[in-house]
């Protein structure tokens, strides 16, 4: 709310799970709490599941390996601007899957 009308877009990410709150704020700033992530769908935030499970169960540090096989989840947003006014026309979530 603080930057509404002063920033074109505020695109948050942290939890790695996209939120369904994409909107244009009253003064024209595109906003979404979490755009999501790009990474293997059946992973733990993009890393092979075995490492985080072992760390949780044994309570010991474990080296995480990037998950590299399966279906890649691609999350993001598409922000459309009006060329003449430079104002946001729309914000839409992008959710796609690609076999890798």
């Amino acid at each position: 709310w603080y930057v509404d009308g002063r920033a074109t877009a505020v695109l948050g990410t942290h939890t790695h799970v996209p939120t369904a709150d994409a909107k244009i704020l009253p003064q024209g700033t595109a906003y979404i709490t979490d755009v999501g992530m790009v990474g293997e769908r059946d992973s733990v935030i993009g890393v092979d599941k075995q490492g985080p499970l072992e760390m949780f169960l044994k309570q010991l540090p474990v080296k995480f390996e990037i998950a590299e096989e399966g279906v890649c989840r691609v999350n993001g947003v598409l922000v459309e601007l009006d060329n003449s006014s430079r104002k946001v026309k729309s914000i839409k979530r992008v959710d796609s899957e690609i076999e890798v």
Side-chain angles (χ1 to χ4, degrees), residues 54-66:
E54 186 176 329
M55 183 180 76
F56 176 76
L57 294 171
K58 295 182 178 179
Q59 296 294 297
L60 294 171
V62 174
K63 181 180 177 187
F64 292 164
E65 300 292 333
I66 294 174

Side-chain angles (χ1 to χ4, degrees), residues 4-100:
D4 184 20
R6 295 189 286 161
T8 301
V10 175
L11 312 175
T13 185
H14 177 70
T15 61
H16 312 286
V17 177
T19 53
D21 62 345
K23 60 187 162 198
I24 300 173
L25 298 175
Q27 299 300 312
T29 297
Y31 173 84
I32 188 168
T33 300
D34 195 330
V35 297
M37 71 165 223
V38 174
E40 210 277 325
R41 178 187 63 193
D42 297 321
S43 68
V44 175
I45 62 170
V47 300
D48 184 72
K49 295 178 287 225
Q50 191 57 40
L53 288 172
E54 186 176 329
M55 183 180 76
F56 176 76
L57 294 171
K58 295 182 178 179
Q59 296 294 297
L60 294 171
V62 174
K63 181 180 177 187
F64 292 164
E65 300 292 333
I66 294 174
E68 296 185 13
E69 295 182 17
V71 176
C72 181
R73 185 119 181 102
V74 179
N75 302 127
V77 292
L78 177 63
V79 177
E80 183 182 9
L81 302 175
D82 181 278
N83 286 334
S84 58
S85 70
R86 302 185 70 123
K87 298 285 184 180
V88 174
K89 289 172 64 175
S90 67
I91 179 172
K92 296 179 184 170
R93 285 184 28 218
V94 175
D95 297 303
S96 189
E97 293 185 347
I98 303 165
E99 186 73 35
V100 291

